[in-house]
Amino acid sequence: MQLSQTEEELMQYLWKLEKAYMKDLLDEYPEPKPAPTTVATLLKRMTEKGFVDYKQMGRSRQYYPLVRKSDYFSKHVNGLIKKFFNDSAPQFASFFTRETDLTKEQLEELQDIVEQEIKRRNK
């Protein structure tokens, strides 16, 4: 199951806040803010999809994510690699490092991350 672009934007706010009432979520949006009914509809759809749940607190609902941001992002990246790079992480890495505007320092930082992960897996 996937989130729409507007649902994903709302989910970003919920991941940031961890728990939030409707007012908290509306406060996160830049101007012009969406109508509360729009956000309520998005939250309802996201709840039905299993991404969000809530606790009833009197007349208000406190929403919280059921899916971790890292899990959601990981699934998307893996899908991207499968769909556009023939399920080849090296092809993805080659494209990413050549076709983006990374500085030499950023590339060196990526290299350090990869080397640390190799060392961790060799233990």
Side-chain angles (χ1 to χ4, degrees), residues 68-79:
R68 292 183 324 173
K69 185 177 184 177
S70 60
D71 292 341
Y72 183 76
F73 184 68
S74 176
K75 187 174 180 179
H76 271 42
V77 169
N78 287 326

Side-chain angles (χ1 to χ4, degrees), residues 2 8 12 23 45 57 86 91 97 101:
Q2 194 168 330
E8 203 170 277
Q12 291 285 355
K23 180 193 176 311
R45 287 196 320 226
M57 310 288 266
N86 302 316
Q91 280 184 20
T97 55
D101 294 331

Side-chain angles (χ1 to χ4, degrees), residues 11 14-15 18-19 51-53 63-68:
M11 196 69 184
L14 195 52
W15 279 320
E18 297 178 5
K19 293 179 183 177
F51 284 91
V52 172
D53 205 355
Y63 293 92
Y64 57 92
L66 292 175
V67 175
R68 292 183 324 173

Side-chain angles (χ1 to χ4, degrees), residues 20-112:
Y21 294 96
M22 173 75 76
K23 180 193 176 311
D24 303 323
L25 292 167
L26 283 167
D27 287 346
E28 290 295 312
Y29 279 93
E31 294 293 342
K33 295 185 184 297
T37 53
T38 301
V39 175
T41 299
L42 291 171
L43 287 166
K44 183 177 187 284
R45 287 196 320 226
M46 293 161 66
T47 301
E48 290 168 355
K49 289 180 178 182
F51 284 91
V52 172
D53 205 355
Y54 61 87
K55 290 181 186 172
Q56 194 71 41
M57 310 288 266
R59 294 180 51 160
S60 299
R61 292 178 176 177
Q62 184 182 48
Y63 293 92
Y64 57 92
L66 292 175
V67 175
R68 292 183 324 173
K69 185 177 184 177
S70 60
D71 292 341
Y72 183 76
F73 184 68
S74 176
K75 187 174 180 179
H76 271 42
V77 169
N78 287 326
L80 183 78
I81 291 169
K82 274 187 176 159
K83 186 174 181 178
F84 294 103
F85 299 97
N86 302 316
D87 207 13
S88 169
Q91 280 184 20
F92 169 73
S94 175
F95 175 85
F96 179 72
T97 55
R98 290 185 180 146
E99 301 297 327
T100 57
D101 294 331
L102 296 172
T103 65
K104 180 179 181 267
E105 290 76 20
Q106 289 170 321
L107 287 168
E108 288 170 346
E109 188 176 339
L110 283 173
Q111 182 179 12
D112 290 344

Side-chain angles (χ1 to χ4, degrees), residues 2-10 42 45 49 72:
Q2 194 168 330
L3 295 172
S4 71
Q5 186 175 347
T6 52
E7 291 168 342
E8 203 170 277
E9 180 182 13
L10 179 55
L42 291 171
R45 287 196 320 226
K49 289 180 178 182
Y72 183 76

